[in-house]
Amino acid sequence: METERGVSWSQVYDTWRNHFYSLNDDKAKSAFNTFFDLQDFFSEKSPTLGMPLTLGISKKDGYCDVVMALHICEQLHDFFEKRFPDIPSPNLSDLTPETYEVLDRFECISAPMLNKYQTKAKKKNKAQAKLRNAKALKDLGHKLVRDKRNVFISIDIEAYEIDHSILLEIGWSMYDARTDKFLDQHYAIDSYKHLKNGKFVDDQKMRFGFGTTVWCSLKQAFKELRKDLDWAVERDGGFILVGHGLDSDIKYLKERKFLWPTAHKSETLEVEESAKIATLNTDIIYGASVNDMHNPPSLGRTLNILDIEHWNLHNAGLLDKIDWCDSSLNYRSFSVIGFSKLTIIG
C-alpha cells in the first residue's frame, strides 16, 4: 500500500483564503482570487499547469480527497510569492499534513480534470458513509436481538402486477424476543379473488404455510395489523420493523391511509413519527456484512448466498422460523425467513 504525506486541496484553499481575507486588504483578496481562479491556474503559461496531485484516503479518518504532497505545497507557496511579492503570504505551518493512502496519481491540466477527481472523492466518501451507517444498523440489530425485549415485525404486501393500486395480500410475522415465540398472519383481500399474478410476479397467494389464510376486506386486514402493533406498543413502548426492501410496503400503507400507533396513544400516517424503535433493512445489513453496498441482491438471491432454504417467496406469509448460528469466527445469524426476511449477519 503506497502512502504519502500531504495536504488536501480543500485545506490549502480554505487556509489560504482565510489568511488573505483576514488581512482586510482588497489587494490581498484580489491576489488570492486571481491566483486560485482555475482558468488562470491551469492556463498554458501558468507554472501550476500539470501540477502533480493525488487522489488519496486519509489514514486518520478515512476521508477521501484530492491531495498535494508537501513539496508541492512548498512550490505553490513559492509561485505565489514570485507573482505577488508585495502580498504577505501564509505560513506553511498553518497547514496540517496527514498521511494518505494513494488511490491514484494524476497531473492536473484543467479545471474539469480537477473537478472530475473531486467528484470521485465525493462519491467515495458518500459510499464510505453509507457503509458506516449500514454497519451501525447491523450492530444495532445485534443489540436489539440480544436485549430480548421487543417485538420484531416483518410486513409484506403483494400488489396486483398489472395495477399496483390494487392490493391482493397483506401478511406479517411477529417475533416476540421476550418469549421466543412467533405470531404469523396472512390476509387475502376478498374483493379481488378473481385477480391473480403470474405474468411478472409468481402467484403464491394460496401457499401460506404457517396458519390459515383469512379472506377479508383490506380495511379489516389493516385493523388486525393495527391490533398487533398496538399490543407491542402497549407492552414495550414500541416495535421493531424488519424487511428486505421495506420502502414499497410502507408506501402502500401510507397511500391507503394506514395509521401507525405512537408511544403517546395517538396515531400517524408517517411511520417515522410512530412508536417504531428501529427499521432493520436486511438488504442494507447484508451489504454491511460483505462490505459492499452496491446493488444489494434480492431476497431470493440473498437467501441463496446464505445457503438458507426457502420457497414461495411471493406469498405474503412466513416461510420458515428462526435460525441461530454460531461458529468459531463468532458468526451469528438471526433469521426470520418469509415475506420479508430478517437477517442480522455477523
Side-chain angles (χ1 to χ4, degrees):
M1 180 193 308
E2 185 184 5
T3 60
E4 177 178 274
R5 290 284 288 175
V7 182
S8 71
W9 173 281
S10 55
Q11 186 191 155
V12 172
Y13 182 90
D14 292 341
T15 301
W16 283 36
R17 187 181 189 282
N18 291 338
H19 166 78
F20 289 113
Y21 273 64
S22 68
L23 297 177
N24 292 319
D25 183 337
D26 289 341
K27 287 179 62 178
K29 293 179 183 178
S30 177
F32 168 80
N33 291 330
T34 299
F35 187 74
F36 272 98
D37 177 87
L38 294 184
Q39 297 303 318
D40 185 67
F41 200 89
F42 297 114
S43 67
E44 290 185 4
K45 295 182 180 180
S46 174
T48 49
L49 178 66
M51 172 183 286
L53 296 173
T54 298
L55 183 67
I57 296 180
S58 170
K59 300 289 286 183
K60 178 181 178 182
D61 57 17
Y63 194 78
C64 184
D65 214 333
V66 173
V67 180
M68 295 182 193
L70 290 180
H71 71 279
I72 299 298
C73 292
E74 293 172 358
Q75 290 179 13
L76 192 65
H77 186 270
D78 292 342
F79 291 153
F80 184 88
E81 287 192 330
K82 289 177 181 178
R83 185 168 179 182
F84 303 101
D86 299 329
I87 306 296
S89 58
N91 295 319
L92 288 173
S93 59
D94 293 337
L95 300 172
T96 306
E98 294 182 31
T99 300
Y100 288 85
E101 176 187 346
V102 177
L103 298 180
D104 194 6
R105 295 186 182 278
F106 63 102
E107 294 183 356
C108 197
I109 60 173
S110 67
M113 177 180 280
L114 177 62
N115 180 259
K116 182 183 82 169
Y117 279 92
Q118 288 175 326
T119 299
K120 283 185 178 181
K122 288 178 182 178
K123 288 182 178 179
K124 185 76 174 178
N125 290 327
K126 186 176 180 180
Q128 288 298 106
K130 189 175 182 180
L131 182 59
R132 284 195 298 271
N133 291 337
K135 289 185 175 182
L137 181 68
K138 177 170 72 81
D139 292 342
L140 173 62
H142 277 296
K143 180 180 184 302
L144 291 171
V145 171
R146 289 194 303 266
D147 287 347
K148 297 183 180 295
R149 295 177 183 173
N150 300 106
V151 170
F152 295 78
I153 181 164
S154 190
I155 303 170
D156 187 49
I157 295 173
E158 290 296 326
Y160 184 40
E161 60 189 4
I162 305 300
D163 183 353
H164 287 187
S165 68
I166 296 174
L167 304 186
L168 302 180
E169 303 171 67
I170 178 170
W172 59 95
S173 176
M174 298 174 69
Y175 171 66
D176 185 352
R178 286 195 189 185
T179 62
D180 194 29
K181 293 181 179 179
F182 285 88
L183 168 68
D184 310 319
Q185 302 270 31
H186 182 229
Y187 293 87
I189 310 309
D190 54 13
S191 55
Y192 299 121
K193 277 187 176 182
H194 60 291
L195 298 180
K196 292 184 178 181
N197 289 331
K199 185 176 182 180
F200 304 113
V201 179
D202 289 343
D203 177 26
Q204 308 286 4
K205 188 189 298 184
M206 302 310 297
R207 296 184 179 181
F208 177 53
F210 294 91
T212 301
T213 296
V214 177
W215 287 91
C216 66
S217 67
L218 183 63
K219 181 178 180 181
Q220 183 61 36
F222 280 179
K223 184 178 180 180
E224 297 303 317
L225 173 60
R226 178 60 188 269
K227 281 183 184 178
D228 286 345
L229 290 169
D230 284 339
W231 168 76
V233 174
E234 183 177 350
R235 193 193 74 172
D236 304 328
F239 55 89
I240 298 166
L241 279 181
V242 179
H244 200 88
L246 277 169
D247 290 349
S248 62
D249 301 294
I250 291 172
K251 181 181 176 183
Y252 285 143
L253 290 171
K254 184 176 181 179
E255 288 174 347
R256 273 72 183 178
K257 309 298 182 185
F258 178 78
L259 294 173
W260 299 86
T262 74
H264 307 292
K265 296 186 177 181
S266 59
E267 52 193 21
T268 176
L269 278 173
E270 303 294 336
V271 67
E272 295 304 321
E273 298 173 0
S274 74
K276 176 181 69 69
I277 296 168
T279 300
L280 303 180
N281 283 291
T282 56
D283 48 341
I284 295 174
I285 291 172
Y286 175 81
S289 301
V290 297
N291 290 313
D292 184 1
M293 301 303 297
H294 182 64
N295 291 333
S298 65
L299 171 58
R301 175 65 179 150
T302 301
L303 296 176
N304 288 334
I305 293 170
L306 296 175
D307 197 26
I308 297 174
E309 185 178 1
H310 58 281
W311 60 94
N312 300 344
L313 282 183
H314 286 281
N315 172 262
L318 191 70
L319 306 185
D320 201 353
K321 291 297 181 181
I322 190 167
D323 175 33
W324 286 91
C325 302
D326 281 292
S327 75
S328 58
L329 297 177
N330 196 30
Y331 172 92
R332 171 157 285 190
S333 170
F334 169 61
S335 306
V336 179
I337 309 167
F339 48 81
S340 290
K341 165 85 169 54
L342 182 140
T343 307
I344 301 171
I345 307 168

